[in-house]
Amino acid sequence: MTPTYFQALGRAKLAGFLVVFRQLALVVPMVLLLPALMGGNVLGVWLALPLNDVIILVVAVVLLMREYRLLNNRQKEIAG
């Protein structure tokens, strides 16, 4: 939902960043690296996707907080 929110605000770069970061830049390396870091255990592949979702959630919340702060500041400038 966060990429859709950013697209609706006209912030396509942020929306695109989240989509690419989630699908390519984070998932592929994690699926390849986590099993190696866990000693060849297949559990690393299974943990990669939930860990990816947690990381994306944190990044999305930080970006949303920044955007809300920016919008609030703009609203104060217009009102005051």
Side-chain angles (χ1 to χ4, degrees):
M1 292 301 296
T2 307
T4 306
Y5 174 77
F6 284 125
Q7 278 183 319
L9 291 179
R11 308 273 299 205
K13 286 183 183 178
L14 280 176
F17 166 76
L18 284 172
V19 170
V20 169
F21 191 62
R22 181 171 192 251
Q23 297 299 327
L24 293 175
L26 204 54
V27 171
V28 173
M30 286 178 66
V31 167
L32 295 173
L33 291 176
L34 275 179
L37 293 174
M38 297 181 73
N41 193 345
V42 179
L43 181 63
V45 174
W46 288 100
L47 291 177
L49 294 177
L51 186 58
N52 174 50
D53 288 341
V54 169
I55 292 170
I56 288 297
L57 176 68
V58 170
V59 170
V61 167
V62 168
L63 289 174
L64 282 171
M65 287 173 49
R66 193 179 98 195
E67 190 66 29
Y68 285 147
R69 193 176 313 122
L70 198 142
L71 289 173
N72 195 19
N73 289 342
R74 287 184 185 168
Q75 181 184 6
K76 288 179 183 178
E77 288 175 5
I78 292 171

